Amino acid sequence: MKYTFLKDNNLPAFLGDDFEISYSSMYANVLEFSKRVPKERAHVAIYAENSPEWVCALYGAWLKHSTVVPVDATLPVAETAFILSDSETDFLFASKANLENAKAAVEKSGRAVEICVIEEVEKPLMNATLPNGWKIECEAEDLAFIVYTSGTTSNPKGVMLTFDNLQANIEAVSDEGYFHEKMRTLAMLPFQHILPLVGTVVGVLYVGGAIVFPKSLAPADIAGVLAKRKATMVISVPRFYELIHANIMEKVNKSIAVKSLFLLSKFAGSVKFARMLFASIHKRFGGKVSAWVCGGAALNREVNADLSALGFKICEGYGMTEAAPIIAFPRIGNIKIGSCGQPLPSNEVRIVDGEITVRGRSITKGYYRRPEENEASFNNGWLYTGDLGYFDDDGFLFITGRRKEIIVLPNGKKLNPIELEEQIKEKCPQLEEVGVLMYDDILQAVCRISDKMYAELGKEGAEDFVRENAILPYNRVNASYRRIIRFTVTTKEFPRTRIGKLKRFQLASFVESVKTELPIEQVFAPEPESKIYKDLKEFLAMQVSVTVLPDAHMEMDLGLDSLGKVALHGFIKENYNIDMQESDFEKYSSLRKVANFIEEEQKKKTEEKAVADSPKPRKPKAVAWSEILKNCTPPIIPKTYFFHAITLFAARIFFKFWYDIEIEGRENIKDGEPMIVAPNHQSLCDGFFFAKMFPRKKLYKFYFFAKMRAMMSSKFMKFYVRHSNIIVVDVKSNIKESVQKLAEILRKKNYVVMFPEGTRTRDGNVAEFKPMFAILAKEMGVRVVPMVISGAFEGLKARTSLPARGTKIKIKLLPPVSVEEGESYADFSNRVREIVIAEKAKIEGRELSSD
């Protein structure tokens, strides 16, 4: 069977800011490029930047029934040489900018490869005309591409893709209306990747559409060519959409009116309605883009939801080079945020032990000259993707993680962590182990050294050693996207299987555990002998749960939170009459630095007074929270406005029709008794659940404590907070005032709702409880009502904006508990947390784990 990949067409094929090339002229250029290919069925590499010439070189090779090997134009000589050798390249099209590297790569490859500079190929007139009936036909089973992609070894591997693999993809998206003769697609992503190869080049020209080339990837050039050439489709990676989101939302949040329209559009949930509301924004992009395609990595769900509310229809598919590239994609008008859509019609997709497996027309025939890897990746025709996922009841595929070890960066680039680890270890052989992972959206490394080295160097010395001898030398010789941004040093052994394989999927939790391990005392960094330092250390030891070292970062290493900083501030003010603000702790980040700062300030004061007037030594005073909470000017408590009632009414209606909520234990909130409610934090909706739990009059007595500094940058949110029962804490400045407001609320026999975890759970488990609620309970003499929320995490996970309808949620208010005599803030906080964990496990019908 033959497929026609380029037909006779009088429409434009290439469009740029200052050029327009028809299909007829393109074919005339293709003929010239074809003449340069020395033989039929050659392996032809293209080592150049995106351009019309790149495309002409591709079709010129296909006209000679040759296989094309796309090579990243930014690859260094060594990697390029490997690809040329491994793919058995016969001929190379290179750009003028890459010519010297191309020559060096050919020499290093050891192959006799002829090089042709694409800019030097003779160009027929741009208005060239040819007889009707010309076309490029290809046999279905012939090899179209060998595309190199990262593998499980240190070297890349070539994926063999046939013309039938490409045809399966093109037919599917064309049948669903994505590809059509009038389409104009922006050429943004480098053509050596399979997604732009099919989505921007081959598929577009197959249906008779046009490729739009920007002058550069600068935002102004992209916006300019989109507006001028009226592109209908943009294919890019998450980073591009994150930049669009950040730029637009910054302007949206500056205006109450625009913010209100945004919230209205989000509530309406209609992309067409959103495009009408925000027509001016879309006009900046030409106003004709009907499909914004995101590939290479998962797009942040919150970004996706916000862009949808702005009228951007983001189409997130799922695929890989081995599938040419589509495994699943969303159908027009049937998109679920967070899902990558439904499988390609010509393929079968199944989940085996949580892993996505696929077979069908679009799947590669294998890796070029890799029999062992073919055997490892394929089983009875099924490709084992290494990705974890599930299907919902409607047949939509959701990706939950990766079983493979490849790290996918936000810009779509893929990294083999084994390769990076080996490079770091090579720079610093003293390291026992190295693990590289993507965590908190940045590339990180965890490095293990021996107990002996850690004992000799101390914590800071060990970090300095690893930084200077491993991380910095590695970063200096690697591209920016491969550089390690943060690292952790430990003496703990990495999690491994019984046969010694690294459990890479556990590295993130391992890093978290390392942060809380007790650091070894420093040998060559002795503690100061000053009384000020010793008093500060004794006080600080009561605020944190790890060993206090003089040079440990108080926030990053010791875990000192904002409340602890307030307490330390009060201690310093009370004992040394020095008013250190919370922001000062960023400058004086270790206990040694704080002690030195206090000593310098006292020295200045001493110089201004006579020695006889200097203060006599005295025993340091502890911070009395009772003084902070009780002996202060009564703060102004927010009034309950009608706007608050509207919010509660809307929440009540929403939950009635959207969630299946079961509530138990309302009687534990006693009328006329001030109480603190301490729930676990599972979702964005947790605070609004109270609208479903109590009548309106009683709800007016509930006040919510929240960290909302980022949201307070919006005028709309400032208005919302001022007219609602919300006490907002700014961890940089007003935490003491906020705590005093909570105390005043309790004095007036109201209820305070505090989420002790401080932030939503990432994995559904109950995190550590911060002691602020315990301090209030103990000093104000009020009882705490533990509260369990179960099921909301599954209904509305962190970083998502659209809850899953019909999710079953169980909310249970437990009997109130009081602080026992002699019980510390931390002990009471832990006791309440254990109560919540135990009840949550009981509700979910599982046994409580030992930890």
Side-chain angles (χ1 to χ4, degrees):
M1 181 181 293
K2 291 185 178 182
Y3 297 126
T4 302
F5 278 90
L6 194 64
K7 306 172 186 176
D8 184 2
N9 193 331
N10 290 322
L11 297 173
F14 305 138
L15 296 169
D17 186 61
D18 55 0
F19 64 83
E20 180 174 319
I21 302 174
S22 69
Y23 272 82
S24 183
S25 295
M26 171 200 167
Y27 189 73
N29 282 274
V30 167
L31 289 174
E32 293 299 323
F33 276 88
S34 182
K35 293 175 184 176
R36 296 299 187 100
V37 179
K39 63 179 181 178
E40 297 269 335
R41 302 195 177 279
H43 283 191
V44 179
I46 305 178
Y47 185 38
E49 302 76 18
N50 288 7
S51 66
E53 289 86 355
W54 199 108
V55 181
C56 291
L58 164 65
Y59 283 90
W62 280 356
L63 199 58
K64 279 285 183 72
H65 307 290
S66 295
T67 300
V68 172
V69 183
V71 182
D72 187 343
T74 65
L75 275 188
V77 169
E79 292 182 47
T80 304
F82 170 81
I83 291 176
L84 296 180
S85 174
D86 189 73
S87 64
E88 299 179 306
T89 291
D90 303 301
F91 185 80
L92 174 63
F93 283 113
S95 64
K96 189 176 294 183
N98 272 6
L99 180 57
E100 293 307 314
N101 280 354
K103 291 179 179 178
V106 167
E107 183 178 356
K108 191 174 181 66
S109 74
R111 291 189 60 81
V113 179
E114 181 184 345
I115 301 174
C116 172
V117 178
I118 60 174
E119 289 92 345
E120 295 177 359
V121 175
E122 183 179 349
K123 305 293 190 304
L125 296 175
M126 288 306 170
N127 59 354
T129 58
L130 294 170
N132 292 334
W134 53 263
K135 57 186 176 182
I136 295 179
E137 288 186 332
C138 306
E139 293 288 344
E141 295 305 317
D142 279 355
L143 206 56
F145 290 117
I146 301 176
V147 181
Y148 277 79
T149 182
S150 299
T152 56
T153 64
S154 58
N155 287 322
K157 55 185 180 290
V159 179
M160 298 184 289
L161 297 174
T162 66
F163 287 101
D164 192 50
N165 295 149
L166 307 183
Q167 183 76 12
N169 277 264
I170 296 168
E171 284 177 1
V173 293
S174 298
D175 290 345
E176 293 296 331
Y178 282 102
F179 284 2
H180 49 84
E181 189 179 64
K182 295 182 179 179
M183 72 180 302
R184 295 185 172 193
T185 303
L186 181 69
M188 239 186 121
L189 301 179
F191 289 162
Q192 78 270 5
H193 297 299
I194 191 61
L195 175 61
L197 264 179
V198 175
T200 307
V201 180
V202 181
V204 175
L205 297 178
Y206 179 90
V207 297
I211 304 172
V212 177
F213 290 88
K215 281 185 177 180
S216 74
L217 296 182
D221 286 339
I222 291 175
V225 78
L226 283 174
K228 182 174 182 178
R229 295 304 187 180
K230 307 297 182 186
T232 62
M233 178 183 286
V234 173
I235 301 177
S236 195
V237 292
R239 183 58 182 158
F240 172 73
Y241 295 105
E242 288 166 3
L243 291 173
I244 290 179
H245 174 263
N247 183 269
I248 296 176
M249 291 307 297
E250 181 183 4
K251 295 176 174 62
V252 168
N253 289 326
K254 287 181 179 179
S255 168
I256 293 179
V258 178
K259 181 71 173 183
S260 299
L261 289 176
F262 172 76
L263 293 175
L264 174 63
S265 176
K266 206 164 192 177
F267 179 79
S270 168
V271 175
K272 289 184 179 180
F273 178 64
R275 284 181 68 93
M276 289 173 53
L277 284 181
F278 301 103
S280 60
I281 293 176
H282 291 273
K283 191 174 181 180
R284 290 167 48 196
F285 296 100
K288 297 294 183 180
V289 180
S290 58
W292 301 82
V293 178
C294 182
L299 179 63
N300 180 287
R301 290 193 181 189
E302 186 175 341
V303 171
N304 195 340
D306 286 350
L307 289 175
S308 180
L310 291 164
F312 292 84
K313 184 168 60 177
I314 308 295
C315 303
E316 263 195 293
Y318 163 62
M320 54 198 308
T321 305
E322 289 85 343
I326 301 174
I327 293 174
F329 71 103
R331 277 40 171 185
I332 293 176
N334 193 17
I335 294 174
K336 283 189 181 182
I337 291 177
S339 168
C340 57
Q342 296 156 308
L344 201 73
S346 60
N347 290 345
E348 296 177 75
V349 179
R350 65 180 185 179
I351 309 297
V352 179
D353 295 330
E355 182 176 357
I356 300 169
T357 64
V358 58
R359 70 179 178 185
R361 274 183 63 198
S362 79
I363 304 305
T364 174
K365 61 195 301 182
Y367 302 113
Y368 190 66
R369 301 200 310 170
R370 292 287 195 283
E372 292 182 0
E373 295 200 24
N374 286 333
E375 186 175 345
S377 298
F378 297 90
N379 186 355
N380 293 324
W382 289 93
L383 168 66
Y384 282 69
T385 66
D387 295 316
L388 305 176
Y390 67 92
F391 284 104
D392 70 4
D393 294 338
D394 299 320
F396 283 79
L397 181 62
F398 289 79
I399 311 299
T400 58
R402 291 182 178 273
R403 183 165 287 167
K404 286 185 176 180
E405 297 177 340
I406 301 303
I407 295 172
V408 182
L409 302 179
N411 62 6
K413 289 184 178 293
K414 297 181 179 180
L415 300 178
N416 183 350
I418 295 176
E419 179 185 346
L420 275 56
E421 291 156 1
E422 289 175 348
Q423 288 186 32
I424 295 171
K425 191 80 164 53
E426 183 180 357
K427 299 294 182 185
C428 187
Q430 294 91 334
L431 297 179
E432 302 287 330
E433 291 183 282
V434 179
V436 173
L437 69 160
M438 193 72 177
Y439 188 53
D440 285 341
D441 296 327
I442 59 174
L443 198 61
Q444 303 193 32
V446 55
C447 305
R448 182 168 76 88
I449 62 174
S450 66
D451 289 336
K452 180 181 178 181
M453 179 181 289
Y454 199 24
E456 290 176 349
L457 297 177
K459 184 176 187 298
E460 185 173 346
E463 289 179 347
D464 288 341
F465 176 84
V466 173
R467 181 184 297 106
E468 295 298 325
N469 294 278
I471 305 302
L472 289 178
Y474 163 84
N475 282 347
R476 290 187 186 114
V477 298
N478 274 280
S480 58
Y481 69 90
R482 296 167 63 95
R483 292 173 186 165
I484 303 300
I485 306 301
R486 185 182 300 163
F487 69 95
T488 304
V489 180
T490 184
T491 58
K492 287 184 177 180
E493 291 190 3
F494 288 7
R496 292 185 178 275
T497 65
R498 293 182 65 183
I499 61 174
K501 289 186 177 181
L502 177 64
K503 295 181 179 179
R504 193 171 295 279
F505 66 95
Q506 293 183 359
L507 271 184
S509 59
F510 177 74
V511 170
E512 280 297 321
S513 70
V514 166
K515 291 179 181 178
T516 60
E517 68 180 356
L518 296 179
I520 300 171
E521 291 288 343
Q522 297 183 27
V523 177
F524 299 116
E527 294 187 285
E529 294 294 330
S530 71
K531 188 174 187 306
I532 289 177
Y533 171 80
K534 291 180 178 179
D535 291 340
L536 287 171
K537 179 181 178 180
E538 182 180 353
F539 175 79
L540 192 57
M542 296 186 295
Q543 308 296 315
V544 299
S545 59
V546 297
T547 303
V548 178
L549 297 178
D551 298 304
H553 193 288
M554 288 191 289
E555 185 175 347
M556 295 178 63
D557 299 326
L558 302 183
L560 189 69
D561 59 12
S562 296
L563 190 61
K565 291 178 184 177
V566 170
L568 184 57
H569 165 267
F571 180 87
I572 294 170
K573 177 70 174 176
E574 179 70 31
N575 291 283
Y576 311 113
N577 196 29
I578 294 174
D579 192 16
M580 283 190 74
Q581 300 300 315
E582 282 193 77
S583 56
D584 290 332
F585 290 114
E586 296 180 10
K587 183 177 181 182
Y588 306 104
S589 57
S590 69
L591 190 55
R592 189 193 299 274
K593 291 178 180 179
V594 171
N596 289 342
F597 169 75
I598 293 172
E599 288 169 3
E600 289 295 323
E601 290 298 306
Q602 285 198 333
K603 184 178 179 180
K604 292 177 184 177
K605 292 180 180 180
T606 302
E607 292 174 352
E608 297 173 357
K609 297 180 180 181
V611 174
D613 295 332
S614 61
K616 298 293 187 296
R618 56 190 173 89
K619 184 178 180 179
K621 298 180 181 179
V623 173
W625 278 106
S626 59
E627 296 296 319
I628 294 175
L629 297 177
K630 295 176 183 177
N631 297 337
C632 64
T633 303
I636 299 175
I637 304 302
K639 295 180 181 180
T640 302
Y641 288 82
F642 179 69
F643 186 78
H644 185 63
I646 295 176
T647 304
L648 296 176
F649 175 77
R652 192 187 304 272
I653 296 298
F654 174 77
F655 291 135
K656 181 177 181 180
F657 292 101
W658 204 264
Y659 281 147
D660 180 5
I661 301 178
E662 180 184 344
I663 301 167
E664 186 179 339
R666 292 184 180 93
E667 68 279 3
N668 289 317
I669 302 294
K670 309 296 183 183
D671 291 333
E673 178 186 349
M675 287 182 154
I676 298 172
V677 183
N680 59 307
H681 204 354
Q682 287 211 325
S683 75
L684 284 170
C685 290
D686 291 351
F688 294 100
F689 287 145
F690 285 82
K692 175 80 172 173
M693 296 163 63
F694 297 102
R696 187 180 66 184
K697 287 187 177 180
K698 192 165 187 175
L699 278 173
Y700 284 168
K701 296 179 70 64
F702 281 86
Y703 287 81
F704 298 83
F705 185 65
K707 293 180 180 180
M708 297 171 64
R709 183 179 57 180
M711 297 176 69
M712 288 295 284
S713 61
S714 160
K715 292 181 180 179
F716 175 81
M717 289 310 303
K718 287 180 181 178
F719 174 82
Y720 175 81
V721 168
R722 282 198 304 267
H723 295 78
S724 300
N725 289 20
I726 299 176
I727 304 299
V728 178
V729 59
D730 186 335
V731 296
K732 293 287 186 181
S733 59
N734 76 340
I735 188 168
K736 185 188 298 184
E737 178 189 348
S738 300
V739 176
Q740 289 171 344
K741 285 183 179 180
L742 295 176
E744 184 67 14
I745 288 167
L746 292 170
R747 285 191 200 99
K748 293 183 176 181
K749 298 186 177 181
N750 294 310
Y751 311 114
V752 169
V753 180
M754 302 178 69
F755 292 93
E757 292 167 277
T759 187
R760 284 171 286 155
T761 178
R762 290 188 176 187
D763 55 10
N765 295 320
V766 180
E768 178 186 358
F769 274 19
K770 307 297 183 185
M772 185 179 293
F773 80 97
I775 292 171
L776 278 170
K778 184 172 182 177
E779 300 301 337
M780 299 300 297
V782 300
R783 296 195 293 172
V784 172
V785 177
M787 176 173 152
V788 178
I789 302 174
S790 177
F793 173 71
E794 290 73 21
L796 185 54
K797 294 184 180 181
R799 296 189 177 184
T800 66
S801 299
L802 186 64
R805 188 172 185 180
T807 300
K808 292 184 178 180
I809 296 173
K810 178 70 178 289
I811 298 172
K812 188 171 183 179
L813 294 154
L814 305 178
V817 293
S818 302
V819 182
E820 296 176 354
E821 185 175 351
E823 191 173 21
S824 68
Y825 304 140
D827 288 343
F828 179 64
S829 176
N830 289 334
R831 179 156 66 93
V832 174
R833 177 175 180 265
E834 289 171 3
I835 292 172
V836 171
I837 291 174
E839 189 63 32
K840 182 172 180 286
K842 190 183 300 182
I843 290 172
E844 294 171 356
R846 57 182 174 80
E847 292 184 3
L848 192 62
S849 62
S850 59
D851 57 347

